Amino acid sequence: MRKENEKVTLPLQNSDIEKASMYQVAEAVLFSFIGIRKKSDLEHDAAKIKPVQIIIGGLVGGVIFILVILSVVKLVTG
């Protein structure tokens, strides 16, 4: 049941959706890794970014994270 103050949103048409840039995908993935994101930004990303972009961005972000951790460990241990 819907409350009185809830907004009703209609699905966007394909012509209304503009493609997300690589920067927007990277920003969304980074904030997802950190765990901070406004609900409005999340909804905006969900409308613009395709799931394939998020998967690829997450994989690239994960590889970069692992390489940074390995580099720090190598630097500290000598």
Side-chain angles (χ1 to χ4, degrees), residues 62-77:
V63 168
I64 290 171
F65 176 75
I66 290 170
L67 291 175
V68 167
I69 294 296
L70 288 175
S71 298
V72 169
V73 169
K74 196 175 216 180
L75 182 68
V76 170
T77 60

Side-chain angles (χ1 to χ4, degrees), residues 7-45:
K7 293 181 183 177
V8 177
T9 57
L10 299 175
L12 295 174
Q13 300 295 326
N14 286 339
S15 60
D16 295 340
I17 300 173
E18 56 183 79
K19 293 182 182 178
S21 68
M22 189 184 306
Y23 173 76
Q24 289 170 324
V25 174
E27 181 184 35
V29 169
L30 176 65
F31 281 119
S32 296
F33 278 175
I34 296 171
I36 54 173
R37 197 72 170 155
K38 287 191 230 173
K39 186 176 181 178
S40 61
D41 290 338
L42 176 66
E43 292 169 353
H44 184 263
D45 289 343

